[in-house]
Amino acid sequence: MVAPDKLNYINVGPYGTFRESGNYQTLPGDIDNLFVELTDRQSQKLIVHLHGGLVSETGGMDTAKSMADALNLPNAHTVTFVWETGLIETLQRNLARIHKTKLFKKLLAYAIKKLFGFDNLDAGARGGGQEPELTTILVALDQANPLEGFTFPVSGDGGRGSGPVIDRAITDDELVVLENELTGQLEEEMEADLELQDLLVNAEATEFFPSPAESRQPGTRGLVTSIQIAKKIAMVVIRTLKRFLNGTDHGAYPTIVEEVLRGLYLADLGAFVWDGMKQAASDMWLPNREPVTPDSHAGTYFLHKLNQHMRENDDFHLHLIGHSAGSIAICHMLGAVSADPALSIIPTTVSFLAPACTHELFKAEMWDHQDRFGKFRMFTMSDNAERKDRLMPYIYTRSLLYFISGVLEPSGVDKPLLGMQRYQSAGAPYDVPPLLEITDWLCDPTVKRQALSPTDETTPVGMQTTSLKHGDFDNDQNTLLSLSHIISQ
């Protein structure tokens, strides 16, 4: 794709600054030129688009060009903040490499074997279920939709995916007994698994498996011992079981994968990726000092120029669009505007596309301060569509938002995100503030604040959206037409 005009993007450098990063660079003079152009054209509307945070520079620039073309409205100008972190490439590369290893598949298969063998706690700590064969599970893991056709020994919930059904509460003491028994069984089975023992001493184990110093045993070649792996897999099974018990599972296969990744592979990387992205969403709005240098924060410099332009042009309107983690950046932007007494910027509209912000952040920066913005609308997938959007076939068979909620958010699994309809059920365990208050606000029938994709032909203008993938909202024709309608009002 042809690179966008410099007037259509602001490329944010490292730590939210003007520093050079990649093949493109925005300087303070470029932002000055943007507002000169707005004045010369007598533009009445500025559309500011913030793409998702796990985007490469090339992807960000392509999006800037396509958004400028799609939202080419009368008396309006579109600019995209390109704040690439490149972390999606790190994440996908590591997930793909992990999935290719026999070690990952073997460990995942052991967790599935034990969980699918669970039946009834009253039959003993492990229950009386029949465990599937390890070889059968390994074959199933090579399918695009792993475990399709597999069921637990008892009926599932239908909504979240098949899982163990327990007809009574399980105490913490019972779970400890179960975990200890699982550990013993797994240790015995793993010690007898010659292929697994070989995997533990070869390069792929060294490359992918965590290696804390205390895990190394004197006189052994392996990265970890069978007992240490057995404990971790038993813990994965217990955590997965707990999530089915308390209603926080994401379906059988995705939940097991999430727990294996969190417990054995991506605990540190996941936190690094997502925390780094959230930091980037915040850094660009940090305060600046005079004089302006390459270390000045690009977002804040932009806000002060925008504030001056709005003061000089009474009938000038700002429209914000945030896709995925772009919603996080907008929350921090509005917070920064509120904290700076020199700024008095109130966007006419804020539109979120599949937002990845937490309810806590949204509440703190927007819902609790509705005087900071005008109209709000959110376009996102229905949970049925969200569950069918596969982040990476074979590896993780839910959407990116599910993955963020289940793996990347460091504050806990099944972290509620604003763009996931799943958390609007108003039933346990989601019948708590701020979920209830925000859900009521979003779903208020008297105000059109939420559009769930896919909509049909009966949907009113400005509410239509048909994206069936998380990353497609900012190039979905119906969503773009809805945004154009909102901005044109």
Side-chain angles (χ1 to χ4, degrees):
M1 180 178 289
V2 178
D5 189 297
K6 292 201 76 169
L7 296 173
N8 292 122
Y9 71 85
I10 295 173
N11 191 30
V12 181
Y15 307 104
T17 68
F18 287 108
R19 292 187 209 167
E20 187 174 1
S21 172
N23 297 319
Y24 300 88
Q25 183 181 17
T26 292
L27 297 173
D30 296 319
I31 294 178
D32 296 342
N33 291 338
L34 166 63
F35 287 99
V36 169
E37 186 72 12
L38 292 177
T39 300
D40 291 345
R41 292 182 182 178
Q42 297 183 326
S43 298
Q44 296 176 333
K45 300 174 182 178
L46 179 62
I47 305 163
V48 175
H49 169 247
L50 291 105
H51 62 59
L54 302 179
V55 174
S56 67
E57 181 181 65
T58 299
M61 286 297 171
D62 288 347
T63 299
K65 178 68 167 60
S66 64
M67 290 297 283
D69 293 341
L71 299 178
N72 186 20
L73 305 173
N75 299 317
H77 182 83
T78 301
V79 62
T80 292
F81 272 74
V82 178
W83 55 297
E84 81 284 351
T85 61
L87 294 176
I88 190 62
E89 296 162 336
T90 300
L91 179 63
Q92 290 180 324
R93 182 170 59 250
N94 277 272
L95 282 177
R97 291 169 66 188
I98 288 170
H99 180 260
K100 288 179 180 178
T101 67
K102 291 182 179 179
L103 177 60
F104 171 75
K105 291 181 181 178
K106 181 76 78 155
L107 297 178
L108 187 60
Y110 269 109
I112 292 168
K113 180 174 184 284
K114 294 302 175 183
L115 193 64
F116 274 59
F118 184 87
D119 188 4
N120 185 346
L121 191 73
D122 292 325
R126 268 290 297 124
Q130 181 66 42
E131 294 180 354
E133 293 291 333
L134 206 62
T135 52
T136 303
I137 298 172
L138 288 169
V139 170
L141 292 180
D142 284 331
Q143 308 303 312
N145 189 20
L147 304 191
E148 186 173 13
F150 269 69
T151 58
F152 283 88
V154 286
S155 60
D157 62 7
R160 295 187 308 272
S162 296
V165 174
I166 310 300
D167 58 6
R168 65 176 179 82
I170 297 180
T171 67
D172 289 341
D173 288 342
E174 288 175 313
L175 288 173
V176 169
V177 171
L178 176 58
E179 185 171 352
N180 289 336
E181 188 166 332
L182 282 170
T183 299
Q185 291 179 0
L186 286 164
E187 182 185 7
E188 182 178 344
E189 294 174 26
M190 289 177 172
E191 287 285 358
D193 189 334
L194 298 182
E195 181 184 45
L196 176 62
Q197 294 303 313
D198 182 61
L199 290 172
L200 293 177
V201 298
N202 70 15
E204 63 179 0
T206 303
E207 184 173 359
F208 293 108
F209 204 75
S211 56
E214 61 271 18
S215 72
R216 300 182 183 276
Q217 302 298 314
T220 63
R221 292 186 302 147
L223 187 65
V224 290
T225 64
S226 294
I227 181 60
Q228 289 169 319
I229 299 176
K231 286 181 178 179
K232 284 186 173 291
I233 296 300
M235 181 175 62
V236 164
V237 175
I238 294 299
R239 287 180 176 175
T240 304
L241 180 60
K242 282 183 177 180
R243 289 179 61 182
F244 271 100
L245 291 171
N246 62 28
T248 60
D249 65 279
H250 291 172
Y253 178 70
T255 305
I256 297 170
V257 171
E258 289 169 8
E259 293 301 330
V260 170
L261 290 175
R262 287 182 74 103
L264 284 80
Y265 286 91
L266 291 184
D268 293 334
L269 177 63
F272 167 77
V273 168
W274 194 237
D275 285 350
M277 190 289 310
K278 289 191 288 188
Q279 190 65 48
S282 175
D283 282 350
M284 69 180 93
W285 316 114
L286 291 174
N288 283 332
R289 296 178 180 178
E290 294 293 342
V292 176
T293 71
D295 288 327
S296 297
H297 298 97
T300 301
Y301 185 87
F302 167 83
L303 289 177
H304 280 264
K305 290 296 179 179
L306 171 63
N307 189 73
Q308 179 182 346
H309 187 83
M310 294 183 77
R311 285 183 176 179
E312 296 171 354
N313 298 270
D314 292 337
D315 194 27
F316 187 83
H317 297 273
L318 173 66
H319 299 271
L320 300 179
I321 302 171
H323 181 202
S324 191
S327 65
I328 300 175
I330 287 179
C331 285
H332 287 302
M333 174 200 288
L334 296 178
V337 169
S338 177
D340 190 335
L343 299 176
S344 55
I345 299 169
I346 300 177
T348 302
T349 66
V350 177
S351 299
F352 279 178
L353 313 179
C357 61
T358 64
H359 287 74
E360 289 87 352
L361 178 63
F362 181 77
K363 182 177 187 299
E365 301 296 357
M366 293 189 64
W367 192 78
D368 283 346
H369 304 281
Q370 294 179 41
D371 58 334
R372 294 179 178 178
F373 58 95
K375 294 182 180 179
F376 176 86
R377 189 160 297 170
M378 178 174 77
F379 298 87
T380 197
M381 282 187 281
S382 68
D383 189 55
N384 183 54
E386 194 89 52
R387 292 167 60 86
K388 294 177 181 178
D389 178 19
R390 298 176 183 176
L391 176 63
M392 296 184 73
Y394 300 92
I395 305 174
Y396 188 75
T397 55
R398 290 285 186 268
S399 70
L400 177 60
L401 290 188
Y402 263 101
F403 190 80
I404 293 169
S405 170
V407 179
L408 298 186
E409 270 292 343
S411 55
V413 296
D414 193 44
K415 181 65 177 180
L417 302 179
L418 185 68
M420 297 179 70
Q421 189 198 18
R422 166 188 180 84
Y423 302 110
Q424 297 179 7
S425 69
Y430 311 126
D431 52 347
V432 295
L435 300 185
L436 290 176
E437 294 91 338
I438 293 176
T439 295
D440 288 344
W441 184 78
L442 286 172
C443 300
D444 184 345
T446 65
V447 184
K448 298 174 181 178
R449 293 195 180 105
Q450 177 173 262
L452 295 176
S453 183
T455 57
D456 58 29
E457 63 277 1
T458 66
T459 304
V461 175
M463 296 289 287
Q464 295 175 355
T465 177
T466 49
S467 179
L468 294 177
K469 293 188 70 63
H470 175 80
D472 287 351
F473 276 92
D474 54 10
N475 55 38
D476 172 63
Q477 189 62 29
N478 282 308
T479 305
L480 292 170
L481 289 173
S482 292
L483 291 173
S484 297
H485 176 80
I486 292 169
I487 294 165
S488 299
Q489 296 302 297

